[in-house]
Amino acid sequence: MTEGIKDKVVVITGASSGLGEATARHLARHGTRLVLGARRLDRLRALVAELSLGNDAAVQMDVTQYEQVKQLVDQAVRSHGRIDVIINNAGLMPQAPLERLKIDEWNRMIDVNIKGVLYGIAAALPYMKQQKAGHFINVSSVAGHKVGPGFAVYAATKHAVRALSEGLRQEVKPYNIRTTVISPGAVATELPDSITEPDIAEAVRKRYEIAIPADSFARAVVFAISQPDDVDVNEILFRPTKQEY
């Protein structure tokens, strides 16, 4: 069910690798008009060239800087005249027990995982209100549903994404805007690489031996986007079949 995807203007943050890259590839095959943002411009340009998207489709940006997120969204509107979907995907997953006082990592997670989503909402919402149409896709996690030792702060940020998305969903009904939260389990991305504590990193690597490809997330995005305009898929939670937690 993908007939509603072709020619939609889709903005993706964190698009240079992992979930964002896989989703860009998937959506390009369905004929969407993509504008991709990430910090690593070299990887972004290589992806844009591979997908034949044009130079304007790659925007170097950091989701912790509102003006840079706004520039990404503005670029999409300048290039295509509108924005149909924004996928607030950029995220970090450093983990450690609270007693290790990884305060810099806490702050970085809050800045990327929470503020980055808020900035994406702030950049796209005025356009979508004016259009009386649009779709926010915010990336949470299984950790946005379950909390465990060692990932309290990460789980807190992903619970926050779900809370923000639900509040947004209720507020934007008058403007015909849709809101979807996607919560992946163990998916093969670079996310575990942000863990700096060696013992925690090793434990997570073992847990991620069952990780499924990032295409699994991309297919969830396609499902949500391709629904008729009067259908709002609000939440998708998925895991590897073997994943227990």
Side-chain angles (χ1 to χ4, degrees):
M1 189 175 179
T2 58
E3 63 274 9
I5 291 181
K6 189 175 185 299
D7 290 329
K8 281 194 171 180
V9 179
V10 181
V11 171
I12 306 175
T13 68
S16 63
S17 65
L19 304 181
E21 179 185 359
T23 302
R25 294 179 186 281
H26 217 68
L27 291 178
R29 290 197 291 270
H30 290 291
T32 60
R33 302 178 186 182
L34 294 167
V35 179
L36 309 178
R39 290 177 297 121
R40 294 176 291 186
L41 187 58
D42 55 340
R43 295 184 61 161
L44 205 56
R45 283 176 171 165
L47 177 61
V48 162
E50 179 187 338
L51 300 179
S52 301
L53 299 178
N55 292 334
D56 290 346
V59 178
Q60 185 176 31
M61 48 79 69
D62 183 337
V63 296
T64 68
Q65 305 299 314
Y66 169 66
E67 287 301 326
Q68 294 183 27
V69 182
K70 187 175 185 302
Q71 287 170 9
L72 172 67
V73 172
D74 289 348
Q75 176 65 36
V77 176
R78 277 195 302 271
S79 297
H80 304 289
R82 61 186 292 111
I83 174 173
D84 295 305
V85 183
I86 183 167
I87 304 174
N88 289 309
N89 162 70
L92 293 175
M93 193 184 71
Q95 298 184 14
L98 291 170
E99 65 184 15
R100 297 192 189 180
L101 303 181
K102 306 292 285 188
I103 294 171
D104 287 345
E105 291 184 356
W106 300 349
N107 287 331
R108 184 67 178 163
M109 271 191 285
I110 290 167
D111 286 344
V112 174
N113 296 358
I114 300 178
K115 291 181 181 179
V117 172
L118 279 170
Y119 294 160
I121 292 169
L125 185 54
Y127 289 118
M128 292 183 179
K129 282 178 62 178
Q130 185 176 29
Q131 295 167 179
K132 289 285 198 288
H135 194 165
F136 290 95
I137 297 181
N138 298 330
V139 182
S140 181
S141 167
V142 167
H145 299 255
K146 298 173 70 71
V147 183
F151 59 95
V153 179
Y154 177 70
T157 65
K158 291 304 185 177
H159 275 75
V161 170
R162 293 182 61 222
L164 289 169
S165 301
E166 174 58 15
L168 177 66
R169 182 193 71 80
Q170 295 178 38
E171 292 180 12
V172 298
K173 289 302 151 189
Y175 311 110
N176 197 40
I177 296 171
R178 303 191 291 183
T179 303
T180 302
V181 182
I182 303 182
S183 299
V187 175
T189 70
E190 295 178 0
L191 208 55
D193 295 344
S194 61
I195 300 173
T196 59
E197 297 290 272
D199 57 329
I200 305 297
E202 179 60 26
V204 171
R205 273 194 290 272
K206 288 180 179 177
R207 290 207 305 267
Y208 267 63
E209 290 175 356
I210 62 168
I212 52 180
D215 279 355
S216 57
F217 175 86
R219 290 193 299 272
V221 169
V222 168
F223 173 76
I225 294 176
S226 65
Q227 299 304 307
D229 288 343
D230 61 349
V231 177
D232 190 5
V233 177
N234 301 132
E235 191 150 8
I236 299 174
L237 168 64
F238 72 96
R239 301 172 172 86
T241 302
K242 295 181 178 180
Q243 183 173 339
E244 294 180 6
Y245 66 89

